[in-house]
Amino acid sequence: MTTLVTKGIKISVNTNFEGTFFKNYKMHFAFGYTITIENQSKDSVQLNSRHWRIYDALNDIELLDGEGVIGKKPVILPGESHTYNSGCLLASPIGAMKGHYNMVNFGTSEKFRVYIPTFKFSAPFALN
């Protein structure tokens, strides 16, 4: 598990290899990840959008921006958490992701970033 805390918001990430398959006549490697966003601060916060940097050993870095996570803009009260699952397709068996969430603090109306730690993807057969 990879973790990082920014302004009282703890991000924890677990990854797993889902398998390989062909798409558009190319081999793809599917990875899943579970992210838990834990509010360790004293104020309620809302996740409004996300920014990802996706690293694939065989491709250029891909940037991805979007509203919320998995179609939701969760409000996370103090001491509570939000967990979701998602995935990533890579052209190689090795890669990584990192990024940030754009959030708002309901107590202060402050908009702020919560950084998502770099988490790595590797298919078990690709490891030495």
Side-chain angles (χ1 to χ4, degrees):
M1 177 182 295
T2 304
T3 62
L4 182 65
V5 179
T6 307
K7 294 192 174 192
I9 309 300
K10 180 180 178 182
I11 306 297
S12 302
V13 185
N14 281 314
T15 63
N16 60 299
F17 176 64
E18 300 284 337
T20 59
F21 66 94
F22 282 93
K23 179 180 175 185
N24 299 330
Y25 304 103
K26 293 181 184 178
M27 174 73 82
H28 286 78
F29 300 86
F31 296 92
Y33 56 90
T34 300
I35 295 186
T36 299
I37 305 162
E38 183 182 348
N39 185 352
Q40 298 177 335
S41 75
K42 61 179 176 34
D43 294 317
S44 296
V45 299
Q46 183 176 27
L47 188 157
N48 289 320
S49 62
R50 68 191 183 285
H51 171 80
W52 288 113
R53 293 177 69 85
I54 303 169
Y55 302 88
D56 184 329
L58 296 177
N59 284 324
D60 292 332
I61 296 170
E62 181 181 351
L63 301 178
L64 180 65
D65 292 287
E67 294 292 314
V69 288
I70 312 299
K72 298 180 181 178
K73 293 183 178 181
V75 173
I76 309 168
L77 303 177
E80 294 189 357
S81 63
H82 177 78
T83 300
Y84 71 94
N85 299 300
S86 192
C88 182
L89 290 179
L90 300 179
S92 73
I94 298 172
M97 287 176 68
K98 73 176 183 177
H100 66 265
Y101 297 123
N102 292 307
M103 304 187 88
V104 64
N105 179 317
F106 286 159
T108 64
S109 298
E110 171 195 13
K111 292 181 180 179
F112 64 103
R113 285 185 177 175
V114 171
Y115 293 95
I116 305 162
T118 300
F119 52 97
K120 297 177 183 178
F121 298 123
S122 61
F125 57 81
L127 300 176
N128 292 341

